[in-house]
Amino acid sequence: MKDLKNYKSIHVLITFGILFVITCAIITILNPISKPVNVLNITFMVLQALIGLSLVIFSRKISKKFFHLFIGLLYLCWSIFSLFTELVFPFTIKEVWPLFGVITGILWFVAGRIKYGRMKFGFVIPSVTLFGMGLWYSLFSFNIIKLSYKSIACSLGPIFMVSIAVFLVLFFLAQQKHKELVFTDEETGVFSDEESSFRSELEDED
């Protein structure tokens, strides 16, 4: 019963974190970073960082769940990055938004690495996809590529997609020799342990 209360509490924290993400995004859009610092926005970012830190500690000490660890790292790193963007970097949300995808891709891989202690194919695919797409859009948001996005999407877009495909093929060939890179039969997916915990919670409630 104590574990059930812990899980309910952590779900409440996750919900509040999502609300803080949405609220910060709305405030940032309505109040561009070039304007004076918004105290309310910074307060929400700090609260979100504390929620993220709590989730990371909870995942490491109690639940041992990938999802809790990933969400905690996501809240924590997004908040820290947002604070630096708000207080230090002279960029607007229109420029930095793709970097949130880059951070997400990195953290997905890091959480999987921490969870299983080794690289897993199931974590690499979404990590590379999010990281690559974030970098791709950053080239345009930071005006590094000054051509129109439409012309680049039609010309270099296919090359970008082929590059990802080639990487995945090479990684597939590599994991044929290194079986530890893929999930075993007991590990049907990155959220399998979360599904088990949810089922056990429901059974305890009954």
Side-chain angles (χ1 to χ4, degrees):
M1 183 63 68
K2 184 177 180 181
D3 291 338
L4 180 59
K5 291 181 178 179
N6 287 333
Y7 278 107
K8 286 184 176 179
S9 299
I10 216 66
H11 294 159
V12 171
L13 285 179
I14 293 174
T15 301
F16 271 106
I18 294 174
L19 293 176
F20 286 145
V21 169
I22 296 173
T23 304
C24 288
I26 293 174
I27 293 176
T28 303
I29 293 173
L30 297 178
N31 180 35
I33 299 173
S34 58
K35 293 183 178 181
V37 173
N38 190 300
V39 177
L40 182 60
N41 200 13
I42 291 180
T43 301
F44 283 140
M45 291 177 187
V46 172
L47 290 174
Q48 187 186 29
L50 293 176
I51 289 176
L53 182 60
S54 300
L55 288 171
V56 170
I57 295 174
F58 177 84
S59 67
R60 299 296 291 161
K61 299 294 185 179
I62 301 177
S63 72
K64 310 296 182 181
K65 305 300 182 184
F66 165 81
F67 178 70
H68 295 154
L69 177 61
F70 171 69
I71 292 296
L73 290 174
L74 198 64
Y75 286 167
L76 181 61
C77 293
W78 272 11
S79 300
I80 294 174
F81 177 73
S82 297
L83 284 171
F84 271 97
T85 303
E86 187 85 22
L87 299 172
V88 180
F89 300 131
F91 299 117
T92 64
I93 189 64
K94 292 182 180 180
E95 295 169 316
V96 302
W97 70 265
L99 296 182
F100 287 98
V102 173
I103 294 173
T104 303
I106 294 174
L107 293 180
W108 184 275
F109 176 81
V110 170
R113 178 76 178 182
I114 294 175
K115 166 69 177 178
Y116 293 103
R118 59 186 185 274
M119 186 168 59
K120 289 279 191 176
F121 187 68
F123 295 100
V124 172
I125 293 178
S127 296
V128 171
T129 302
L130 290 169
F131 184 83
M133 290 182 65
L135 286 182
W136 174 254
Y137 285 113
S138 296
L139 297 177
F140 297 93
S141 65
F142 286 101
N143 209 23
I144 297 175
I145 296 180
K146 301 184 182 300
L147 300 176
S148 68
Y149 178 74
K150 181 178 180 179
S151 61
I152 293 297
C154 294
S155 57
L156 296 182
I159 297 178
F160 175 75
M161 298 301 295
V162 169
S163 299
I164 293 180
V166 170
F167 170 81
L168 293 177
V169 170
L170 292 176
F171 193 88
F172 174 78
L173 295 176
Q175 61 88 20
Q176 296 298 308
K177 296 182 179 180
H178 302 278
K179 297 300 182 182
E180 70 276 7
L181 298 179
V182 297
F183 293 108
T184 61
D185 292 338
E186 291 77 19
E187 295 178 74
T188 57
V190 296
F191 293 107
S192 58
D193 51 357
E194 273 63 49
E195 293 172 357
S196 299
S197 67
F198 290 150
R199 284 196 297 267
S200 63
E201 289 175 20
L202 292 175
E203 292 173 356
D204 292 336
E205 288 180 343
D206 295 338

